[in-house]
Structure formats: C-alpha cells, structure tokens
Amino acid sequence: MAANVPPLKGLKVLELGGLAPSPFAGLILADYGADVVRVDRLITPFGPPRDTLCRHKRSIVIDLKHDTSRRAFLELVKVADVLIDPYRPGVMSRLGLGPETLRQINPRLIYAHLHGFRPDGMYGKRAGHDINYLAVSGILSLLGRKGEKPAPPCNILGDFAGGGLVCVTGILMALLHRSVTGQGQVVTANMVDGSAYLATFPRQQLGHTNMDKPRGENLLDGAAPFYEVYETKDGRFVAVGAQEPQFFSLLLAGLGLEEKDLPKQWDRERWPELKAVFTEVFARKTMVEWRAVFDDTDGCVSPVLEMGETERPYKPLVEMSGSPSLNVDVQEDYPELKKGEGCQEVLHEWVPGLEKAMDVDATSKLLTLERAKL
C-alpha cells in the first residue's frame, strides 16, 4: 500500500444500525479508511442518545422484511468485506440473513456479531446495558469507595472498550487470516467477556498483596493516600499516582512536607492518617496553583480536567507513520448522519452495474431492487 494511505482504504463495511458499541466499532474502521455504510431501518427504534458516532460514514435504508429491499441488501453483501451485527443472538438468522446464509453468498465476508451478554450463557437472550455487562463480568464489584455500593462508571468500559474495541480487534484478526486463506469467518464478541478480559490483571491480583482487601481498601481503588483524588481550594480536583519512592519524594517536596515527619509510605495501617494530611494540604491551593507546582515534575500529580479542557487537537486511536488515519481533530459537534445520506454514491461505488436498477424512495430513503429490473 502506498505511503500516507489509510490502512483500511478499500475495505467495505456494512454496519447494521445499533446503539453505541457497534457504531463505535464502525467508527474506528472508518477513521482508518474503511468505507463504512450504516444500514438503517425505516423506523427509529430507540430514543436518546442519538447516533453521533458517524464520522466518515454513509447511510442506506433497508427493510429486511421487504423482499425488494432485502434483495438490494443482499447485492451489497456480495461485495462487502465486513458486516457488523449488533442484534441479539438469532435475530438475523430468523430473518434468513444470519452468517450461515450470508457467508454462502460471500465466502470472503467477515460476519462480526457484537452481543451484550455471552450468547450461549444464562443471560444470552436478555436485554442489558453497560452496567449489566459490567455487573456480570465481575468488574462492577471492583468499582466504588469503601463501605459504599458499587459505583457504575460512564459506559466506557463495557460498551466501548469491552464491546466496540474488542469487536474491531476480532475483525482485524479475521482480516489477517483472510489475507492468508482467502476465506472470511464469523467473529463473535460480547461485552461481558470482552470486559472480563480487560480485567485480566486485577483478577489475577485478587487475594495478593495490595489487592487482598474489600473494595476501596486496596492500593489502586482509593485506600492509598498516594493514589487518590484530592479536592483543591477552588472546588476542583487533582489526581495523585505517586507509588514509586522517587515519585513519592517529589510529591512530598511539592506539598512542602518532610518525609521524616509523616507515617511511612507503605504503612497501610496509617494510610488514613497520611491521607488526612494530604487532604488538608491540597485544600490550601487552587488547581491552577498546584499545576504550577507539579506540572513540570515527576510527582505524578495531574489536574482532573473537564472534557472541554483537554489538549487539542484530538488524536486517533493510534498514530501510524506510514498509513495514518483520516482526520479526527474535531470529535464533538459532529453532524448527524441522516438516513440515506450518501446512498447514491454507495451504489455507484459498490454495485455500479446495478445502480440504475435500484430505487431510493424520495421520502423514506428506502432502498429497493425489483427482480424485473435485473
């Protein structure tokens, strides 16, 4: 591939319209050059949040229960490289459009299922959201303060990390396999197992030093005074992660404290006492004042920034010197992808021989292909 060409350029992806995890998988592929076409339904089955994960994508509208629209969909499947299916187990198969059918039509197709629960597990056919997947994966039990109930995070861990990103990993592995064998395959990801895999390290550490106490009493979950969030004078926050002794020394220096006057860093019985000292000292200055103290040191003290305060421009998932991603500098206020937007261009590029035979309804944008026009 030529230099400076996105690594997935030329890859054709059908993304069956869904909520956050599957659009995120499609977004990653699109950011690296894949031609991602969202397959929308006539209806809008879910309310807010709307799909804003549509950068670099186009849309077609398909009714899989309508023969002529289904026929148009199958023509696109024939030339697709990847199909992302976010529906519950068995939905597409009951429509006669599961992987066993579509891969007969196109043996090179990589059919990627993205489920919530483990499809063959006890919750496989049940509805759920990020909080449910984290609960079943065991991760939610780790999150939260001492003496408090588990704290659900924003839906980054389950939906996006354990779901969309894991699904993309499977797709890329399948593409590598296809480059050798010429054959596609079925990729099955689910947010429970994906999230659990991300938690490999804390699961392995359970019961061992620094992970042998109940939630909120361990090194990395809020008990350690040198691995904690502190409020500043102006009601803002700073994050402290000074575990190593050299970084801990720089933390104390920045706080104006003498190590000899304090409990030992690793005296766990006296961590509450040391935390109280840090809490009082951090409250003496504003976040900006603490940044002036720590930003140029290795004291491992960072400001807790709001989303609008982070460094710009935004960066892609990974930067690649020879095959960079498309532009992702602007990630908020991205225009919503309207149903059917870009459909004619998709037909022209994907199925030029059938472009004139396909109809796009002016109002609904429904794409159909009459058998008589073939």
Side-chain angles (χ1 to χ4, degrees), residues 35-57:
D35 184 359
V36 179
V37 177
R38 191 179 69 196
V39 181
D40 285 312
R41 289 183 270 180
L42 282 171
I43 62 172
T44 302
F46 19 73
R50 61 189 175 89
D51 177 18
T52 59
L53 300 169
C54 51
R55 187 169 55 237
H56 309 306
K57 298 180 186 178

Side-chain angles (χ1 to χ4, degrees), residues 36-289:
V36 179
V37 177
R38 191 179 69 196
V39 181
D40 285 312
R41 289 183 270 180
L42 282 171
I43 62 172
T44 302
F46 19 73
R50 61 189 175 89
D51 177 18
T52 59
L53 300 169
C54 51
R55 187 169 55 237
H56 309 306
K57 298 180 186 178
R58 297 180 289 188
S59 165
I60 60 172
V61 179
I62 294 289
D63 182 352
L64 295 176
K65 296 181 179 180
H66 189 289
D67 285 344
T68 56
S69 188
R70 177 190 183 103
R71 195 173 297 132
F73 173 71
L74 290 175
E75 291 299 326
L76 295 172
V77 168
K78 289 178 183 177
V79 296
D81 295 291
V82 178
L83 183 142
I84 301 174
D85 173 5
Y87 304 148
R88 292 196 212 182
V91 168
M92 288 293 283
S93 293
R94 286 193 293 273
L95 290 169
L97 297 170
E100 62 281 351
T101 300
L102 299 189
R103 291 202 57 251
Q104 285 184 3
I105 295 171
N106 177 4
R108 289 177 55 81
L109 180 68
I110 294 165
Y111 191 112
H113 280 291
L114 178 51
H115 300 301
F117 296 107
R118 182 182 294 184
D120 58 352
M122 64 181 298
Y123 300 110
K125 297 185 183 302
R126 287 178 54 180
H129 282 291
D130 186 282
I131 189 172
N132 306 111
Y133 311 138
L134 293 185
V136 174
S137 72
I139 292 177
L140 190 57
S141 70
L142 302 177
L143 306 178
R145 293 288 182 175
K146 177 182 178 180
E148 297 181 5
K149 59 187 178 182
C154 185
N155 66 330
I156 297 170
L157 284 179
D159 283 352
F160 296 103
L165 186 58
V166 167
C167 184
V168 169
T169 302
I171 290 170
L172 296 180
M173 290 180 181
L175 286 170
L176 288 172
H177 181 266
R178 193 182 73 173
S179 70
V180 176
T181 66
Q183 295 294 308
Q185 61 182 293
V186 178
V187 173
T188 304
N190 73 82
M191 284 165 257
V192 172
D193 290 328
S195 300
Y197 193 92
L198 293 173
T200 296
F201 178 75
R203 184 172 58 251
Q204 291 172 338
Q205 296 297 306
L206 286 174
H208 296 278
T209 303
N210 298 320
M211 197 65 180
D212 56 349
K213 301 287 186 182
R215 181 178 60 252
E217 299 182 29
N218 301 286
L219 172 64
L220 301 179
D221 63 7
F226 48 85
Y227 201 89
E228 177 61 292
V229 176
Y230 293 96
E231 188 171 359
T232 59
K233 183 179 181 180
D234 54 343
R236 297 296 300 271
F237 299 92
V238 293
V240 177
Q243 295 185 59
E244 293 78 1
Q246 67 272 29
F247 302 150
F248 184 72
S249 295
L250 291 171
L251 167 65
L252 297 184
L255 293 174
L257 298 171
E258 293 288 341
E259 192 163 357
K260 62 181 177 60
D261 300 328
L262 300 168
K264 298 296 183 182
Q265 180 184 0
W266 290 97
D267 185 350
R268 294 177 68 170
E269 296 299 320
R270 299 186 68 185
W271 275 358
E273 180 183 340
L274 187 56
K275 184 180 288 192
V277 173
F278 288 175
T279 299
E280 191 276 327
V281 174
F282 274 115
R284 295 175 187 172
K285 297 179 186 290
T286 66
M287 186 185 76
V288 170
E289 290 173 325

